[in-house]
Structures are given as C-alpha cells and as structure tokens.
Amino acid sequence: MRIDIISLFPEFVSQIAGHGVVGRAQERALLSLHGWNPRDYAEGNYRRVDDRPFGGGPGMVMMIDPLRDCLAAVRLADPAPAKAIYLSPQGRPLTQAKVRELAAEPRFILLCGRYEGVDERLLAAEVDEEISIGDYVLSGGELAAAVVVDAVARLQDGALNDAESAAQDSFEADGLLDCPHYTRPVEHELGDVPEVLMSGNHAQIARWRRQQALGRTWLRRPDLLDEAGLSKADRELLEAFKAENPG
Ligand code: ADE
C-alpha cells in the first residue's frame, strides 16, 4: 500500500513511521510512505503557504494554491486513484472499522493542516473525507497522520510477526477491549499470574480471556457493549464477572 503525506513537516511523520511495526512494514515493502511539502509548490521568494484569515481573528490559514499544486503532483506520482483525507478535529472519529477500510485501499493521501486550518474551498474541492483522532486539538495534523499510518500499517498482511495478534486486539475481533496479559515471573511482589493461564487447558484459558475482555469493557467502556452483539454465553460470562467484581 502507498500512503502520501502532505505536510509542512513531512519528515516528522516519516521519522515516527521509521520504527517498529511501521518501519518493518516499509522494509518488507508492504507499505511505502511518501512525504510532500506544500512549500515546494509555493511561489515567490518567501514561498508563502499561509495568510491571515478573512474576517479577522488569530492565527493563519493555509492557502489554496500551494496545497492544490502539491496535491496535483502527488496524484501524478502514481496512477492509482487515491482518496484525500484531511486530519482535523472536525472530522469523523477514527475507529478500528475505519482503519480496516483504509488498510484495504491500495493508496490514500493524508493532508496535515497547520495553523488555524486550511482554506475551506480547498477542502470542499479536493478532500474526500475528514478524520479526527479524538476530541482534543493538536497543533497540526502530523501526529494524527502518524496514528493513521501506524494503525493501517499493522493490518497489512505480513506486517506483524505473529499473524494472530492483530485479530485478538481490542476492537478487532468484536469491538471489545482486550483481556489482560502476563509474562514471567509467575510469582512477584506485585501479584501472581492468574492460575488458569498456566493450566494448559486451552478451552478454559479462552473462556477466562473472553470473560476478562467482557468485564473490562463493562468497567471501562460500557458504551462499546451496546454495539458488541453479545451471545448468550457472553452474557452469562459477564454476569459472573459482575458478581465477582461489583462495580
Ligand atoms: N489536527 C488537530 N487536531 C486534530 C485531531 N484531534 N485529530 C486529527 N487531526 C487534528
């Protein structure tokens, strides 16, 4: 998959994306990232990319033409059609379902705004969707773009070493939070590893993990349970969890 990132700091995103799973996905040619700077498409000695907002107010607004020319160059660089996605707090919230959808695309473009935003006319004409990574304001879209790149990269076939682990993630299987995980030592002053995990009984372990996932979701994100479509067995596991862990 190919992701093009348009940003005044394109190296910022590629640096974040150079490590761990995303770095490996690039080494394995599962992902190619390309950074583009709208300043390279700006005119004049100052290569100006922003200007003051009409109507007054603080901050600067990114101008139409450098972004538009940059986008045109991005599109020309590869014949595959690509959605343009603008990262902004006004966008739709990023969910794992959206990540899966993007991960299946051959290519997309991430547009990072800076300052107070981007001229609305450019967004209306060139952007296919807006995505927010949460209800808070970042000083630019770069960190949000890095979040999208990471979440999408790890879903590429062959990006994770243990093919199982993405399927078991929070949200991935069925929109529930993940169960807790433990490793050595078995006994520690901070507590012991739950016995069931050492039982070797895979059915019991799977049942315990499912119950923990249900219980945690109930405790921490009860809103997700409404969407999860629990089976009768799930509801029984959850009732047993509630009885043992009164909220
Ligand atoms: N740019 C600034 N804040 C953002 C957010 N919360 N999500 C995506 N892009 C942003």
Side-chain angles (χ1 to χ4, degrees):
M1 119 168 305
R2 172 180 175 128
I3 306 177
D4 294 280
I5 297 154
I6 299 179
S7 158
L8 290 173
F9 309 101
E11 63 293 340
F12 184 89
V13 183
S14 46
Q15 261 170 26
I16 293 178
H19 307 281
V21 173
V22 188
R24 208 166 59 213
Q26 292 186 81
E27 278 157 31
R28 294 180 179 170
L30 306 171
L31 171 72
S32 62
L33 286 182
H34 303 264
W36 301 78
N37 193 336
R39 207 175 288 286
D40 296 336
Y41 300 86
E43 299 201 328
N45 286 346
Y46 295 105
R47 296 197 164 268
R48 191 157 193 178
V49 291
D50 61 317
D51 210 334
R52 280 170 306 186
F54 280 118
M60 302 293 266
V61 177
M62 290 180 75
M63 297 160 78
I64 296 176
D65 282 331
L67 282 174
R68 194 159 177 237
D69 293 348
C70 184
L71 258 165
V74 170
R75 291 196 184 282
L76 267 181
D78 190 300
K83 256 189 196 171
I85 298 167
Y86 176 51
L87 285 319
S88 99
Q90 282 82 46
R92 285 190 191 226
L94 183 66
T95 61
Q96 190 63 22
K98 176 47 96 181
V99 170
R100 271 196 298 271
E101 191 187 307
L102 293 176
E105 301 264 346
R107 182 185 181 202
F108 59 85
I109 300 165
L110 294 175
L111 172 59
C112 306
R114 279 265 144 187
Y115 314 117
E116 296 308 300
V118 171
D119 191 302
E120 189 65 24
R121 293 166 292 179
L122 181 281
L123 298 179
E126 299 278 359
V127 163
D128 299 291
E129 57 185 289
E130 284 188 39
I131 290 180
S132 162
I133 63 161
D135 290 340
Y136 40 80
V137 180
L138 303 166
S139 47
E142 285 76 12
L143 283 170
V147 166
V148 172
V149 167
D150 186 292
V152 162
R154 60 194 300 288
L155 292 191
Q156 300 303 302
D157 275 345
L160 297 176
N161 281 334
D162 179 355
E164 285 279 83
S165 54
Q168 287 177 10
D169 283 339
S170 284
F171 304 111
E172 200 47 75
D174 42 24
L176 296 181
L177 300 187
D178 205 359
C179 62
H181 300 280
Y182 299 86
T183 187
R184 290 189 303 169
V186 173
E187 289 176 8
H188 192 279
E189 64 182 27
L190 296 185
D192 298 346
V193 175
E195 251 178 68
V196 58
L197 295 178
M198 269 106 48
S199 67
N201 183 330
H202 295 295
Q204 258 185 37
I205 292 171
R207 202 179 113 90
W208 181 86
R209 287 185 166 152
R210 182 78 188 166
Q211 185 175 43
Q212 292 294 315
L214 289 159
R216 281 194 154 183
T217 310
W218 171 66
L219 286 171
R220 300 181 187 186
R221 292 290 306 275
D223 55 305
L224 296 175
L225 279 181
D226 304 335
E227 303 286 311
L230 303 187
S231 67
K232 184 159 174 281
D234 282 338
R235 285 196 299 272
E236 284 167 11
L237 280 175
L238 181 55
E239 287 315 311
F241 181 96
K242 288 182 185 175
E244 281 169 34
N245 305 269

